[in-house]
Structures are given as C-alpha cells and as structure tokens.
Amino acid sequence: MNKRTPLLSALIVSSIILVLAGCGSAAKNDSAEPAAATVAGKDKLKIETSFYPMYEFTRQVAGDLADVHLLVPAGTEPHDWEPTPKDMAAIEQADMLVYNGAGLESWVDQVVSGSDSKGMTAVEASKGLELIPGTEEEDHDHDHDHDAADGDAHATDAETGHEEEPAHEHEHEHDHGAFDPHVWLSPKLAIGEVRTIEAALSAKAPEHKAQFEKNAAAYIAKLQQLDEQYTKELSGTKRKDFITQHAAFGYLAHTYGLTQVPIAGLSPEQEPSAQAMVEVVKFAKAHQVKTIFFETLVSSSVADTIAKEVGAKSAVLNPIEGLTAEDEANNLDYLQIMQANLTALVKALNE
C-alpha cells in the first residue's frame, strides 16, 4: 500500500527528465534528427515488455520489425519488481508496453495511468483468457480432483481468448492477487497470449500485418507441437499429482489433467505456514511422493526441507519467470525450458 507514493514521485521525476532532455537536444541541433529506432530507412516499433515470457512471445511475433526490450533484468524475480525512473522513462518513450496482467505486474496500472504518452499502447497478453482464482495461502486438504476435470474448459477458453481487443483502457476486472497469473506455463494458454500480442502489433503497424501474422503462425505451430507432446506424455503417467514449491503450475495442471500440490501460495517469496508444511509432508508420505519440485530465482530451502523429511529428492520445475545467468549462457529459451519441465514431470510422475 505504501508503494504508490514513491512510484508517483519517480514518474514525475522521469517526466521532468524527459522534458529537459528534449529542450537540451533542441538547443544543440535545430534540425530534426531521425528517430533512434530508424534502421535502414524504416521506423521500428519500440516495445517494452515486462518479464521474460512476454519478451520472448513479443520478439517471436515482431521479428526484425521492432526493437523489443525486457524491463525485468535476468535473474530477477518479477512478482515484487518495480520500475525505476529510468524504466518509466523508457515506457513513456515506447510505442507499446506488453505485460502479462492478471495481477502479476502490480505496478502497471499506476505507471500507465500516470503516463503522459498518448502514443503508447498497453497490451495485457492474458486479456480474454479465463483465469483461475488464486489465494496467497493455498487450501492444503489436497482434494484436487476438480483441477483435472476443469482442464479442458480452460484450454478451450485459451483458444478463443485472442478474439478480445488487446489494447484497452485499464479498468481491470482483476484485483491484484485475486487470480493466478501464471498462464504462460500452459502451452495452450501461451498460444492465446501470442495471438493477443499479434493482434496488437497488427493494429499498431497495419502495414506489417501480414508479416506479424506469418511470424505468429510459425511460433504458434511450435507451441502446438509442444502442447501435443505434453498431452501425449502426461496422459499415461502412473500418478497425476506433483508437489511444487509455490502455486505456479495451476494452469498446466488444469490443461493436462494433473493435480498441483503447492507448498506455498502464488508468490514464490511467501513462507508457508507450519500447518501447510505438516499437511504437505503427510500428503507426500501417504502418496509415496519421491520428488519435491523447487524452482529457479528463489531459495530451494523449503522444498529441500520437505524432501529430507519424507525421504524424497528435489528437482527443478521452472516457472520461467525469468532466465538465470546459466540459462542465458546456454542460450535457453521458453520452448527449451518447457521441454525440460516436461521431462522432469514425466520422470517424477512415473516413479
């Protein structure tokens, strides 16, 4: 609640910096210079993206027709990240801001509503997708059969979500924390996000609509192949429940008929209650769970503690909220990390 004042102050400071910079450049050179985004005589769109999946989806659709920039640095957990004055200045100067929405980027509403830029289009990639309600403290009675039963309904909504207008006024129907934002972890829902981004780019630069559509179709074909692999390989596993460090995999579970048993809630920084820990341990022992999943970017100590208590091992299930330095060094991308997640799930669910 106290974060609104520094954000507003930073926004005012960034606006003053922009005005002074504009005056200074005008004094130095009376003739207008070509925009920095002009390459080979063609204006490129300048696009800011909130965190890694949004960056990757946008980059795949835009191709070489846009300069796409990632706001949340590599190795940084995006749930609690907030923009600096420099970041807000970059957003102010951009043609487009692409963000996930559903409450993940808590700073977006304030930054966009306080922006003086009339040319910047804000695109909520999850708009039009049916979202799963989420709470900060998950219910640990672990009677989750309804998760699997609801999977097809959520997947169907993802396929139709791209019909919604991507650029919109920011009168969000989602309260922060009211919904699970991790839609990108279901390939079916990722397709919906890519289509929303493509529609926004085509509306922003209609002269490149055919190329945007071609790029999106090529990437969607890869996502569809990934979805088919998930469907095939997860349909025949011995077990359907998996324990993970925080509740990031609800959409994946819904889509592919699995049951997510989270140790903590939607935020990876949340510490689970003692009662939640006890009940997860009971569940793991009762169901002979042999793998406890932890994730990148945050400490694995909670997952390691439970794994030691029940005699299980721990392994990575990556929520792809950002790339690590190791991911970047290995040139890993969304598709490759999702393949690694599938391999890890299949192994754990067949133990």
Side-chain angles (χ1 to χ4, degrees):
M1 295 299 290
N2 293 327
K3 294 179 180 178
R4 299 183 64 88
T5 300
L7 261 179
L8 284 173
S9 300
L11 184 58
I12 292 169
V13 171
S14 65
S15 298
I16 293 172
I17 290 171
L18 287 174
V19 171
L20 292 175
C23 293
S25 62
K28 290 179 182 178
N29 192 349
D30 292 335
S31 60
E33 292 292 331
T38 301
V39 178
K42 295 183 179 179
D43 288 339
K44 285 190 173 186
L45 292 172
K46 295 176 67 176
I47 304 175
E48 296 292 330
T49 59
S50 59
F51 73 118
Y52 174 71
M54 299 302 101
Y55 168 81
E56 179 67 6
F57 297 166
T58 304
R59 187 180 68 86
Q60 291 292 335
V61 177
D64 61 3
L65 296 173
D67 290 324
V68 183
H69 177 252
L70 176 62
L71 286 167
V72 179
T76 302
E77 212 292 316
H79 283 262
D80 297 319
W81 180 88
E82 288 195 357
T84 65
K86 182 179 178 180
D87 295 321
M88 290 189 285
I91 294 170
E92 190 91 6
Q93 294 174 327
D95 296 300
M96 182 177 289
L97 168 66
V98 179
Y99 65 102
N100 182 77
L104 180 70
E105 302 95 339
S106 60
W107 48 268
V108 163
D109 284 349
Q110 191 173 347
V111 169
V112 173
S113 64
S115 173
D116 292 329
S117 175
K118 294 182 172 61
M120 192 273 288
T121 301
V123 181
E124 182 181 16
S126 67
K127 184 176 172 64
L129 304 180
E130 184 174 337
L131 302 178
I132 301 172
T135 60
E136 282 303 302
E137 183 68 34
E138 294 293 319
D139 180 3
H140 283 278
D141 64 4
H142 304 300
D143 181 14
H144 293 283
D145 291 342
H146 61 284
D147 283 1
D150 288 348
D152 290 339
H154 287 274
T156 301
D157 290 320
E159 293 293 334
T160 60
H162 68 284
E163 297 295 336
E164 295 287 337
E165 181 65 31
H168 57 90
E169 297 298 323
H170 289 264
E171 296 173 359
H172 284 232
E173 65 273 20
H174 321 320
D175 291 329
H176 290 164
F179 292 93
D180 181 351
H182 302 85
V183 293
W184 64 90
L185 289 169
S186 164
K188 283 187 184 293
L189 290 167
I191 289 170
E193 294 203 298
V194 169
R195 285 175 169 158
T196 294
I197 293 167
E198 180 274 311
L201 285 169
S202 294
K204 191 72 174 181
E207 67 274 19
H208 298 307
K209 178 179 174 65
Q211 188 61 52
F212 292 143
E213 289 178 341
K214 180 180 178 180
N215 293 347
Y219 193 59
I220 286 171
K222 295 178 182 179
L223 291 172
Q224 289 172 331
Q225 183 178 25
L226 181 67
D227 168 51
E228 290 168 3
Q229 287 181 279
Y230 265 74
T231 299
K232 179 181 178 181
E233 296 190 32
L234 293 175
S235 63
T237 57
K238 293 179 181 178
R239 59 188 310 129
K240 298 298 180 184
D241 46 64
F242 61 97
I243 297 176
T244 187
Q245 187 161 317
H246 91 284
F249 298 90
Y251 292 101
L252 188 154
H254 274 281
T255 303
Y256 302 106
L258 304 178
T259 298
Q260 172 187 233
V261 181
I263 300 170
L266 293 175
S267 171
E269 299 295 340
Q270 179 193 1
E271 290 292 332
S273 66
Q275 182 62 28
M277 293 273 285
V278 168
E279 291 181 4
V280 169
V281 167
K282 287 180 180 178
F283 179 89
K285 289 180 177 179
H287 293 79
Q288 298 182 328
V289 175
K290 295 180 173 59
T291 299
I292 309 295
F293 286 115
F294 66 95
E295 61 194 59
T296 56
L297 302 185
V298 295
S299 171
S300 64
S301 60
V302 173
D304 291 339
T305 297
I306 290 179
K308 183 177 180 179
E309 176 68 22
V310 302
K313 63 180 179 295
S314 57
V316 171
L317 195 62
N318 194 335
I320 322 183
E321 294 178 342
L323 297 182
T324 64
E326 184 179 355
D327 293 335
E328 289 188 324
N330 292 324
N331 293 316
L332 295 184
D333 61 17
Y334 171 87
L335 293 172
Q336 292 169 309
I337 296 172
M338 285 296 289
Q339 288 280 3
N341 280 347
L342 176 58
T343 299
L345 277 170
V346 170
K347 181 179 179 180
L349 296 175
N350 281 315
E351 290 175 327

